[in-house]
Amino acid sequence: MLSDYLGALKNTPGDSAVYVLDSGKPGANMLITAGTHGNEIAGIMAAVMFVEHASVEAGRIIVIPCLNNPGIIASARLNIQTAKGPRYFPLGTRLVPAEHQGWEDPPAYFAPNSAAELPGYEQRNINRAYPGTEDAGLAQKIARAVMNVLETENINIAIDLHEAGPASGVAWHIVANPKNADIAALTILDLEEKNITMHIETSPSEMRGLSHREWGDRSNAAAFLVETVNPAQGDNYAPPPDPVHDPAFPLWRRVAVQLEAIRAIAENSKGKLSPQIEYSGLPDYAALEKGGLEPWF
Ligand SMILES: [Zn+2]
């Protein structure tokens, strides 16, 4: 549990499951987080697929599928039809709900060490809270716990899974800490070979509190954020697009891109890692395009 890394989370809605997939063999340590924003469902489903299907052959993969647990437990439910019957996934909220944060929203929020003024509710955004602290609200505590995971588990590669609306400036992006931008660039070339077009951005210098920035600056991990497109996160659509079956942005494709991006990041990190990370058991893009998500859930 996340509370094993920060005791202050114990018996709070901020606690959530941390899955350690251990090959039992020497190797690198890869962290995958999803559900920082509970409405960004492709990342959550990709993370769950790792937990349920990945076979780790060298090193360890540590997965936190529902990081914003307080924004997920009270969520709407997404019904996915599978061969075994319906299965329900959370469709949560972007922010830690006000009733769980424990600290009232300030008039304006400044991320740690940042002069950039954000709306007060952004203090409940886990991805503006890094490196976090246990002496503030629940979002800050969750962020602190993730920093402790990075350090305690000696993480070498850390990947934060997100989604954005179609008009967002980071749609279909891999955002990388500048220290590992080379790995991100190689990753994008690999994805292009599979006809998956992603764009690269490095952590902006003026914005702080972001996972890729603070994880990479404050730990040994190469830090990345993968951003697929969720049509339901666009503004002012009526009726709102279906987050699962939208013809332009079907969920299977977004999950496939998340899995392919993780695969390519792991592969392209190998030159810098010793010992390495090896895993199998997950579908590639072509398999999900052909068979959909259903056989995997
Ligand atoms: Zn996000």
Side-chain angles (χ1 to χ4, degrees), residues 25-40:
K25 298 188 188 115
N29 298 310
M30 180 162 78
L31 173 68
I32 298 170
T33 61
T36 290
H37 300 138
N39 52 334
E40 298 171 6

Side-chain angles (χ1 to χ4, degrees), residues 80-168:
I80 307 285
Q81 288 299 328
T82 76
K84 296 172 206 144
R87 186 167 171 186
Y88 296 95
F89 278 86
L91 184 59
T93 59
R94 178 171 180 272
L95 301 174
V96 169
E99 66 266 33
H100 296 310
Q101 172 71 353
W103 282 46
E104 214 161 291
D105 288 348
Y109 173 69
F110 296 87
N113 307 309
S114 171
E117 181 173 337
L118 300 171
Y121 58 76
E122 286 290 294
Q123 71 139 349
R124 292 182 281 116
N125 183 347
I126 297 164
N127 201 27
R128 300 294 182 275
Y130 292 104
T133 168
E134 45 182 307
D135 302 320
L138 192 56
Q140 284 66 34
K141 289 187 177 80
I142 293 170
R144 186 68 241 165
V146 176
M147 297 306 299
N148 292 348
V149 171
L150 290 168
E151 193 184 321
T152 308
E153 303 295 354
N154 191 24
I155 299 296
N156 306 104
I157 308 168
I159 308 175
D160 194 16
L161 307 183
H162 286 252
E163 294 202 281
S168 162

Side-chain angles (χ1 to χ4, degrees), residues 18 21 23 35 88 128 151 169 177 188 202 204-205 207 230 253 261 281 288:
V18 178
L21 316 180
S23 68
Y88 296 95
R128 300 294 182 275
E151 193 184 321
N177 187 279
I188 282 177
T202 51
S205 50
M207 277 282 290
N230 181 349
R253 178 180 296 152
L288 288 182

Side-chain angles (χ1 to χ4, degrees), residues 164-175:
S168 162
V170 287
W172 301 121
H173 269 65
I174 292 176
V175 190

